[in-house]
Amino acid sequence: MQFLRENGLLSSSDISLLEPERATVDDVALNHDLEYIEYVHRISDRGGGMLDPDTVVTRGSYEVALRAAGGGILAARKVASGEFKNAFALVRPPGHHAERRSGHGFCIFNNIAIAAHTLLREGVKRVLIVDVDCHHGNGTQNSFYSSPNVLYLSLHQWGIYPGTGWLEEVGVGDGEGYTVNVPLPSRTGDREYMYALEEVLIPLADDYKPEFILVSVGFDTHYSDPITMMRLTSVGHRRIAELLLNVAGRFGGKIVFMLEGGYSLSAIPRSLANMLCVLAGIDREWGDKEVESIGLERVKGRVEEVKHALKPYWSF
Ligand SMILES: [Zn+2]
């Protein structure tokens, strides 16, 4: 926020800053069991505890997690109504690892799943969730694993937490084909990542024709991130936003980005500012150094495997 403020983005007439509203328990219950919501409330009220070895709850966590979920809902509603062209829900804690009955991987409530459920409840029939966090969004995938109303596409580093997201996980029942996983090797860089995203996202979107796109944004794909091994740059993060905005534009343009992970405090400000400028139509870019990456050939093979797994469902 300091970086955005110092660079004049928060005072730009092209950007509005809204305070998130608290999600109601009914909103959160669209994606989580009441017993779990009450459990988080109780732990938070009595001063804190752990939901799993990574996931800390402190005295304020319940309130903050409700506001994070509320921020996603607010962003989705403002864009659904046409009041705003797009939005970025700049919230923490993140959400995509949170399951129906449990919190995991720093996530308490699954903000993006709650926003998607809210859109479905309000009449949207086809939501596309694109998860560009470095980790697989197990919680989001499971929320919609048997639903054709939400197409979940995740690109992630393979072999790290949470261990899910292999390309053969394609959904079940009515949702078969509506989960698409692109597990990528470590040291994937901007060029390889954009190749994989374009090759998979564009044909999928053409077939599915999403009415609304929600994006789980993790800046932990950045080369400087301390807990992952990808090689994206802040310029790459800008390219991702450009592509997603472009794809959304072909289907009515409704798109909301939501913050998930990202642990390099030096990288997040530049990556975020680049994405916000794309969303707001501001012609500014914060550059980054060039980094060596794995090379396109290694990623091309994986993308072919993904297409092969999804061929029964989509016209790849
Ligand atoms: Zn992550």
Side-chain angles (χ1 to χ4, degrees):
M1 293 305 284
Q2 188 186 334
F3 185 87
L4 299 179
R5 198 173 292 117
E6 284 170 3
N7 283 281
L9 293 180
L10 298 185
S11 50
S12 162
S13 59
D14 295 313
I15 293 179
S16 302
L17 189 60
L18 307 184
E19 276 286 311
E21 293 161 6
R22 204 174 185 269
T24 65
V25 170
D26 284 349
D27 292 329
V28 179
L30 289 170
N31 193 68
H32 296 279
D33 280 1
L34 269 178
E35 293 73 25
Y36 171 63
I37 300 169
E38 283 161 9
Y39 174 69
V40 174
H41 193 177
R42 256 196 332 272
I43 296 183
S44 194
D45 268 3
R46 67 164 194 246
M50 309 288 283
L51 296 181
D52 83 348
D54 293 323
T55 313
V56 180
V57 168
T58 64
R59 188 170 291 284
S61 292
Y62 181 67
E63 178 69 27
V64 176
L66 287 181
R67 279 187 180 254
I73 293 171
L74 178 68
R77 286 208 173 117
K78 291 283 181 189
V79 172
S81 71
E83 190 181 338
F84 287 89
K85 279 201 288 193
N86 54 54
F88 199 125
L90 201 49
V91 298
R92 284 278 172 88
H96 73 156
H97 296 306
E99 300 275 2
R100 173 161 282 278
R101 297 177 192 83
S102 49
H104 301 277
F106 320 141
C107 302
I108 298 174
F109 300 136
N110 195 320
N111 307 315
I112 203 159
I114 292 166
H117 278 297
T118 303
L119 289 169
L120 297 180
R121 187 178 56 180
E122 292 172 8
V124 177
K125 297 279 189 294
R126 290 183 311 282
V127 178
L128 169 62
I129 298 180
V130 184
D131 191 327
V132 296
D133 188 275
C134 196
H135 301 92
H136 179 242
N138 56 291
T140 312
Q141 171 170 301
N142 286 334
S143 287
F144 305 106
Y145 208 52
S146 58
S147 170
N149 300 112
V150 175
L151 171 50
Y152 177 68
L153 164 63
S154 174
L155 285 80
H156 43 271
Q157 185 187 334
W158 181 242
I160 57 171
Y161 184 88
T164 50
W166 187 239
L167 50 90
E168 283 157 4
E169 296 166 28
V170 296
V172 291
D174 291 343
E176 198 178 327
Y178 293 88
T179 291
V180 179
N181 284 302
V182 186
L184 293 166
S186 58
R187 298 197 299 120
T188 292
D190 290 345
R191 189 157 150 258
E192 297 86 13
Y193 196 94
M194 288 310 294
Y195 172 83
L197 187 59
E198 279 172 18
E199 283 288 310
V200 178
L201 171 66
I202 292 174
L204 263 185
D206 282 344
D207 272 7
Y208 187 63
K209 299 181 175 51
E211 292 172 65
F212 209 109
I213 299 181
L214 296 173
V215 189
S216 269
V217 180
F219 294 117
D220 42 7
T221 51
H222 195 269
Y223 67 83
S224 67
D225 195 272
I227 70 169
T228 61
M229 286 163 286
M230 298 286 254
R231 293 280 171 87
L232 272 72
T233 69
S234 294
V235 177
H237 289 143
R238 182 190 170 95
R239 303 272 174 274
I240 293 172
E242 283 170 347
L243 176 65
L244 287 165
L245 209 64
N246 205 301
V247 168
R250 305 220 305 272
F251 304 100
K254 297 196 184 304
I255 186 164
V256 167
F257 290 58
M258 297 178 65
L259 186 62
E260 299 284 359
Y263 310 97
S264 166
L265 293 181
S266 62
I268 293 174
R270 280 175 289 131
S271 290
L272 174 64
N274 277 345
M275 280 199 173
L276 289 180
C277 283
V278 170
L279 294 186
I282 297 170
D283 187 20
R284 285 176 76 183
E285 177 174 303
W286 283 265
D288 210 338
K289 71 171 188 184
E290 301 250 328
V291 284
E292 205 181 307
S293 60
I294 192 168
L296 204 48
E297 285 314 309
R298 288 286 301 280
V299 169
K300 273 185 174 168
R302 176 53 49 82
V303 168
E304 287 315 306
E305 288 179 296
V306 171
K307 287 181 177 178
H308 183 75
L310 272 300
K311 246 191 188 112
Y313 316 104
W314 306 102
S315 40
F316 282 117

